[in-house]
Amino acid sequence: MEPKRLASLDALRGIAALSIVFWHWQHFFAVGGDDAPWTRESQPLFWLFKPLYLQGWAAVDIFFCLSGFVLFWLYADQVREGRASAGRYAMARLARLYPLSLAMLLAAAVLQWLYWRQNDDFFIYQNNDVLRFVQNLFLVQAWWGVPEQSFDGPAWAVSMEVLLYIGFFVLCRLGLKAGWGSLAIALAGAAVTFFNEHLGRALMGFFIGGCAFQVWRTLRTTQSSRRVAHALGLATLAGWSGLFFFLYRSAGFLGGGEGNAGFLIGFDLVLCPVTVLWLALSESSAQRSASAPVRGLVFLGDISFSTYMIHFPLQLLLALIASTYDIEPAFFMQAWVMGAFYAVLIVLGWLSYRFFERPAQTMIRGWGAAKSQIA
């Protein structure tokens, strides 16, 4: 019997969401103004979390890979065979992303305006004009060119998700299957990365996730599934250990940030799908529920979208408070401050998921079902 949910993938999503906060912790140096001196090494527990401070931005690509795996799993056959209508599919995806995205856009817009009134400058993302607000409102801000982030900047990944959802539906209706076709698009995404980094990352991650799903579906019921899962586990451990080792050593070939196409291609086309496939195959081939530690992390997966979307507006609120009361960036470079931030973020994520995200999804999906019945 095919599982309905893979706890290990949910756990991975939750860990990825929280990893991005380390990369964005540098935002707090801006509290002191553009001319404030700062060093990456002065961030909390840098000696321990150096890889995340240097390359935590890449955790977004894990989202894309997981999204591709899950959508090919849940929707590809239904869409290709015409069993999932465009309206029902769009409503389900809209319910998943839009309510919280809209709420955080409005929150960021208000907070950025207040910050600008006080500091005559915006916090981190400077391009907060009416046109970009409209683009963010319709989640199209990252669809063309090399977009300059605005308002709740991390929402660029949500904009790319929407574009991927549309492309996925159209391609599946045209006959695309997880496998070779998905691999071809992922490889094309690698070429796109040299011209449009955000779009290239999204294409690589999402469609290589579809390839990982196809391999998982093929292998999960075979007698060799456990042996393959074991081999993938060794490969995953080696890959992540090697990456962290070279990041700790500040290896030059990993420099360049998000403009390092070589790193992105290797990370998106190899390490991410191998990790996802290992977790999925290990859990399904064991024919038992995930271990207790993994089940405990599923909670972080449930709130991952909330924590991802809320973390920058929360930073923006703290920056506004800091500029009001002349709190220096050094205050935020204390480990207990980061610990408190994570605690508050997780609580807000749970409250959002429990009392906003899920009720909004239920309402929108119910409204969509009612409309389809009337039609």
Side-chain angles (χ1 to χ4, degrees):
M1 179 180 296
E2 186 172 286
K4 295 182 179 180
R5 184 176 184 178
L6 293 171
S8 55
L9 298 189
D10 290 324
L12 178 62
R13 181 183 292 108
I15 294 170
L18 296 180
S19 297
I20 294 165
V21 177
F22 282 94
W23 168 249
H24 285 157
W25 202 254
Q26 62 189 294
H27 290 168
F28 286 117
F29 286 113
V31 170
D34 292 337
D35 298 327
W38 71 280
T39 60
R40 202 177 292 278
E41 291 76 13
S42 63
Q43 295 178 99
L45 301 175
F46 182 83
W47 61 272
L48 179 61
F49 297 110
K50 180 177 179 179
L52 298 179
Y53 283 122
L54 295 181
Q55 219 85 337
W57 54 268
V60 173
D61 299 50
I62 298 174
F63 291 163
F64 291 137
C65 188
L66 289 169
S67 182
F69 186 101
V70 171
L71 258 71
F72 272 95
W73 180 8
L74 299 181
Y75 286 105
D77 292 341
Q78 294 185 46
V79 172
R80 188 171 53 254
E81 296 165 7
R83 292 184 284 119
S85 68
R88 186 70 64 86
Y89 171 82
M91 195 63 66
R93 297 297 89 203
L94 179 70
R96 175 72 180 92
L97 296 181
Y98 196 72
L100 187 59
S101 297
L102 176 61
M104 290 302 100
L105 170 62
L106 297 176
V110 171
L111 290 169
Q112 287 283 20
W113 177 71
L114 292 173
Y115 192 89
W116 176 80
R117 284 192 62 189
Q118 186 163 291
N119 298 280
D120 199 28
D121 197 14
F122 292 115
F123 183 65
I124 305 300
Y125 306 113
Q126 301 298 317
N127 302 288
N128 301 313
D129 53 33
V130 174
L131 174 60
R132 287 180 176 83
F133 181 85
V134 173
Q135 292 174 345
N136 278 267
L137 187 64
F138 290 97
L139 294 177
V140 300
Q141 69 268 30
W143 284 18
W144 49 78
V146 181
E148 296 175 324
Q149 295 178 38
S150 55
F151 297 101
D152 188 4
W156 75 266
V158 182
S159 176
M160 276 299 174
E161 282 279 344
V162 173
L163 183 61
L164 289 168
Y165 290 165
I166 295 171
F168 168 80
F169 185 90
V170 172
L171 290 170
C172 285
R173 273 293 167 87
L174 294 175
L176 176 70
K177 295 182 179 180
W180 294 112
S182 182
L183 177 60
I185 298 174
L187 293 176
V192 172
T193 302
F194 290 94
F195 307 98
N196 186 320
E197 167 243 323
H198 284 167
L199 179 59
R201 289 166 63 184
L203 291 172
M204 283 193 294
F206 186 90
F207 287 99
I208 203 66
C211 293
F213 160 72
Q214 179 61 33
V215 175
W216 171 73
R217 183 165 63 175
T218 301
L219 292 177
R220 68 182 183 84
T221 57
T222 64
Q223 294 181 348
S224 61
S225 61
R226 291 192 183 186
R227 292 195 301 273
V228 174
H230 180 69
L232 287 170
L234 294 176
T236 300
L237 178 61
W240 284 103
S241 297
L243 175 60
F244 275 42
F245 171 80
F246 286 116
L247 285 171
Y248 273 115
R249 296 293 300 271
S250 300
F253 68 91
L254 291 176
E258 297 173 69
N260 188 334
F263 164 77
L264 284 170
I265 292 171
F267 186 74
D268 287 11
L269 295 185
V270 181
L271 189 54
C272 284
V274 168
T275 301
V276 169
L277 180 57
W278 164 58
L279 291 173
L281 198 58
S282 296
E283 186 173 340
S284 60
S285 63
Q287 297 181 342
R288 62 175 183 270
S289 60
S291 64
V294 172
R295 291 199 303 273
L297 292 174
V298 168
F299 159 74
L300 295 179
D302 289 337
I303 67 172
S304 59
F305 185 58
S306 285
T307 53
Y308 180 76
M309 292 301 297
I310 291 172
H311 83 271
F312 178 73
L314 180 58
Q315 286 188 323
L316 179 50
L317 174 61
L318 292 176
L320 182 61
I321 294 172
S323 63
T324 301
Y325 295 100
D326 295 323
I327 299 174
E328 296 295 323
F331 172 79
F332 297 99
M333 300 308 129
Q334 302 176 81
W336 75 266
V337 175
M338 172 175 272
F341 181 92
Y342 267 106
V344 171
L345 178 62
I346 289 172
V347 170
L348 290 176
W350 178 81
L351 291 172
S352 169
Y353 176 74
R354 176 68 176 81
F355 297 105
F356 183 73
E357 270 195 83
R358 289 181 62 186
Q361 289 177 29
T362 300
M363 181 183 69
I364 293 174
R365 287 171 177 166
W367 178 78
K371 293 285 286 185
S372 64
Q373 289 175 1
I374 294 174

